[in-house]
Amino acid sequence: QVQLVESGGGLVQAGGSLRLSCAASGSMFRLNTMGWSRQAPGKQRELVASITSGGSTNYADSVKGRFTISRDNAKNTVYLQMNSLKPDDTAVYYCAKLGLPAYWGQGTQVTVSS
């Protein structure tokens, strides 16, 4: 079983930045594809970024050029740097170990005010 704990959410003005962190348990972290998803009220959960064990990244069109996912295998941690934030980015952000089985964190709230 993998446990994921997110941190770094909060309230920020439009145009600002936040950095989310996700600490993962387990010795196999470096082999896992990790991701960040988000869910806004009344909307479906959306995968916004992912990073493979080899460091290849993928982004949703809605965040491309503004968000950067990275990982530190020595710290069992994955990050999401969010720049040029918009009110539409307001959501609960979840860290995930992708693949089978998949695991999700408890989420961290990000609120972007206009």
Side-chain angles (χ1 to χ4, degrees), residues 7-24:
S7 61
L11 174 65
V12 64
Q13 287 189 331
S17 298
L18 281 175
R19 188 195 197 202
L20 305 183
S21 299
C22 172

Side-chain angles (χ1 to χ4, degrees), residues 28-72:
M28 306 300 285
F29 173 82
R30 69 188 189 283
L31 301 179
N32 295 333
T33 294
M34 303 297 295
W36 287 94
S37 65
R38 67 185 181 186
Q39 188 165 20
K43 295 186 177 181
Q44 288 191 329
R45 190 173 294 194
E46 171 191 25
L47 181 66
V48 297
S50 63
I51 184 167
T52 68
S53 59
S56 297
T57 58
N58 198 25
Y59 298 95
D61 287 344
S62 57
V63 306
K64 202 170 291 184
R66 299 188 298 121
F67 290 12
T68 303
I69 188 171
S70 61
R71 65 192 298 161
D72 185 338

